[in-house]
Amino acid sequence: MEFLLALLALSCGCSALHLQHGGISHSSRSSSEPPATLEHWHELPEVHMNVTQLIQYNGYPVEDYDVTTEDGYILSVQRIPYGREGKCKGVKDKPVVFLQHGLLCSATNWVTNLYNESFGFILADQCFDVWLGNVRGNTYGKRHVKLPVDSDAFWDFSFDEMAKYDLPAMIDFVTKTTGQASLYYAGHSQGTMIGFIAFAHNPAVIQKVKAFYALAPVSTVSHMGGALKYLAYLSPEIEFLFKVLGVRDFLPTDDVMRVLADLVCRPDYIRVVCSDFLFLIAGMDRSQLNETRLPIYISHTPAGTSVKNVVHFAQIFREKKFQMYDYGSAEKNKHKYNQDTPPQYNVSAVKVPSALYWGGHDVLADPTDVKDLLAKLPHQMYNKYLPTWDHLDFIWALDAASLVYDDVIRHIKSKEMEDAS
């Protein structure tokens, strides 16, 4: 019955979907019912900061750059060249680490915890040259050399284009700017997905990446749970509605959010979490959540993506294949790919040495799907399983620094010593 209500809410057109541009709604709360956990929302200055301001606020230097992709998207990327209060400033030829956010997120993911808990800051204090990527359609990727952001053409993309254009452009820019021939890549969620694609199919990118650290790795999502699982059954209807009305960025309304919250929120979830779409698709681990930081997380996510990208995730769930976007007919696929069905991505062709960090309670990077990935992925350095972790723990968990980030750093330093010997 609940699922039928979800179908109704999502199928009823204008009453169920905000028909406007600007990304996913940050909240579905009634203005007369503020959540008890966020009484002091206004007292947290980071709520109102952009990524550059967040970095500066914590005492770190930051450089902002614009990267233009081959197909004309302009992506804002951030660099933290050295540590807090000048730490490591004089160190030359620092190893470069590139951090790539996940689905519906942005570069802020790496800098929204305290300075000694955020991966971006920890790396900088360990004398790494840190770069934060953004992809088309998020808060920092809504510009194009020709296309207006409110045009249908601007939003005509999925993770296919992120892997084909965004990631190569950013990595190429970073290596040229730093003068370093190669870098270390750490991705979360969708950031791992575009890595698996590029590191298997793009020789120019492959030669520039020394090692790949995949946090909550995503390729096939055959066993996915959370809100995206329910949306997957409705993706053709959602895509059709948005095509007819000329709306391309994904923006669930309050009604849709309430239905999805009823379907996926557990009794132990903090109420405000159930109003944030990112938590609805990724879950929540209350034991690892710093609840005082929730206002900051929610003010910066979801950071936006296209309807087409969400539909693409839904397609690979339904088809149980890690494949390119399906245009819905043999004729359209033939026109796009010169074959009747979408080409499949081949993770067994990944050529970059990889390490995987995965969680036992992850509803987006489900353990069964990760095990399937591990069976196919060559050039594995190691993998680390955290049995109680969920999808967002890898960016925000209280123990992320000690259980994941320090581990990655130890490995990179060891690899640097090996390469130098």
Side-chain angles (χ1 to χ4, degrees), residues 223 358 365-373:
H223 299 85
W358 50 299
D366 182 90
T368 303
D369 290 324
V370 176
K371 289 175 183 176
D372 181 63
L373 171 63

Side-chain angles (χ1 to χ4, degrees), residues 278-289:
L278 180 62
F279 283 95
L280 292 183
I281 67 169
M284 186 198 77
D285 177 5
R286 193 162 188 173
S287 68
Q288 283 289 341
L289 182 68

Side-chain angles (χ1 to χ4, degrees), residues 57-328:
Y57 178 78
N58 281 278
Y60 292 80
V62 60
E63 300 171 7
D64 285 292
Y65 297 92
D66 286 342
V67 177
T68 302
T69 67
E70 184 182 337
D71 60 343
Y73 286 80
I74 302 170
L75 311 175
S76 174
V77 299
Q78 287 71 43
R79 180 188 195 181
I80 310 176
Y82 51 88
R84 196 170 193 242
E85 298 175 350
K87 186 176 182 181
C88 305
K89 185 176 182 179
V91 177
K92 297 185 181 299
D93 299 323
K94 302 180 188 73
V96 177
V97 179
F98 186 91
L99 302 180
Q100 183 57 52
H101 65 78
L103 176 64
L104 292 167
C105 293
S106 74
T108 59
N109 283 170
W110 308 108
V111 294
T112 43
N113 266 347
L114 301 176
Y115 78 91
N116 60 340
E117 297 175 338
S118 299
F119 200 14
F121 296 146
I122 292 170
L123 285 165
D125 284 334
Q126 289 288 326
C127 298
F128 291 98
D129 187 351
V130 184
W131 290 75
L132 313 179
N134 286 291
V135 295
R136 61 188 65 198
N138 82 355
T139 306
Y140 305 97
K142 290 186 176 178
R143 291 177 293 159
H144 193 279
V145 295
K146 293 181 180 178
L147 301 174
V149 71
D150 59 353
S151 66
D152 292 349
F154 180 92
W155 295 97
D156 187 16
F157 64 81
S158 75
F159 60 77
D160 287 342
E161 286 74 26
M162 297 173 195
K164 182 177 181 179
Y165 297 113
D166 296 359
L167 191 56
M170 290 187 290
I171 288 178
D172 183 64
F173 181 89
V174 170
T175 54
K176 286 179 178 177
T177 303
T178 61
Q180 300 266 15
S182 57
L183 52 76
Y184 295 94
Y185 180 94
H188 173 248
S189 182
Q190 180 182 261
T192 71
M193 174 181 276
I194 62 176
F196 290 129
I197 297 170
F199 303 156
H201 302 284
N202 191 323
V205 172
I206 292 166
Q207 67 180 3
K208 295 172 185 173
V209 180
K210 296 179 184 179
F212 173 23
Y213 300 91
L215 315 183
V218 177
S219 54
T220 55
V221 289
S222 303
H223 299 85
M224 174 179 68
L228 276 183
K229 175 181 178 179
Y230 295 99
L231 288 178
Y233 297 108
L234 302 168
S235 58
E237 289 80 8
I238 296 170
E239 185 180 21
F240 174 76
L241 175 65
F242 275 72
K243 281 183 177 179
V244 169
L245 296 170
V247 182
R248 298 291 184 171
D249 51 332
F250 192 64
L251 187 64
T253 65
D254 294 356
D255 291 339
V256 172
M257 290 291 291
R258 277 191 289 270
V259 171
L260 291 172
D262 288 343
L263 288 168
V264 304
C265 273
R266 301 195 308 265
D268 61 322
Y269 276 24
I270 302 167
R271 183 171 40 150
V272 69
V273 162
C274 295
S275 72
D276 186 280
F277 190 74
L278 180 62
F279 283 95
L280 292 183
I281 67 169
M284 186 198 77
D285 177 5
R286 193 162 188 173
S287 68
Q288 283 289 341
L289 182 68
N290 184 345
E291 295 181 21
T292 64
R293 306 299 289 179
L294 264 177
I296 302 167
Y297 304 155
I298 290 174
S299 67
H300 291 281
T301 57
T305 192
S306 67
V307 170
K308 185 175 181 179
N309 193 39
V310 174
V311 169
H312 196 173
F313 270 84
Q315 287 178 355
I316 62 174
F317 168 75
R318 291 199 318 269
E319 298 300 322
K320 314 301 182 190
K321 298 175 183 177
F322 187 27
Q323 64 183 23
M324 300 184 77
Y325 187 83
D326 188 343
Y327 285 88

Side-chain angles (χ1 to χ4, degrees), residues 306-413:
S306 67
V307 170
K308 185 175 181 179
N309 193 39
V310 174
V311 169
H312 196 173
F313 270 84
Q315 287 178 355
I316 62 174
F317 168 75
R318 291 199 318 269
E319 298 300 322
K320 314 301 182 190
K321 298 175 183 177
F322 187 27
Q323 64 183 23
M324 300 184 77
Y325 187 83
D326 188 343
Y327 285 88
S329 71
E331 181 182 358
K332 291 179 181 178
N333 286 329
K334 188 87 170 177
H335 177 75
K336 178 70 175 181
Y337 306 121
N338 200 32
Q339 61 184 61
D340 293 346
T341 57
Q344 293 189 45
Y345 289 117
N346 182 13
V347 295
S348 64
V350 171
K351 297 176 178 64
V352 175
S354 305
L356 277 61
Y357 293 80
W358 50 299
H361 292 168
D362 195 327
V363 297
L364 190 52
D366 182 90
T368 303
D369 290 324
V370 176
K371 289 175 183 176
D372 181 63
L373 171 63
L374 287 167
K376 298 174 182 176
L377 190 68
H379 309 295
Q380 292 180 43
M381 299 182 293
Y382 60 91
N383 78 86
K384 184 171 183 177
Y385 175 61
L386 297 118
T388 64
W389 274 34
D390 76 3
H391 201 67
L392 298 178
D393 283 338
F394 294 91
I395 51 173
W396 290 330
L398 292 168
D399 293 333
S402 60
L403 295 180
V404 176
Y405 305 156
D406 291 349
D407 201 57
V408 172
I409 289 169
R410 280 193 298 270
H411 185 271
I412 294 177
K413 288 185 174 181

Side-chain angles (χ1 to χ4, degrees), residues 42-68:
H42 64 284
E43 296 179 9
L44 297 170
E46 299 101 312
V47 165
H48 307 289
M49 295 179 182
N50 62 29
V51 63
T52 302
Q53 293 165 335
L54 284 168
I55 295 168
Q56 293 171 329
Y57 178 78
N58 281 278
Y60 292 80
V62 60
E63 300 171 7
D64 285 292
Y65 297 92
D66 286 342
V67 177
T68 302

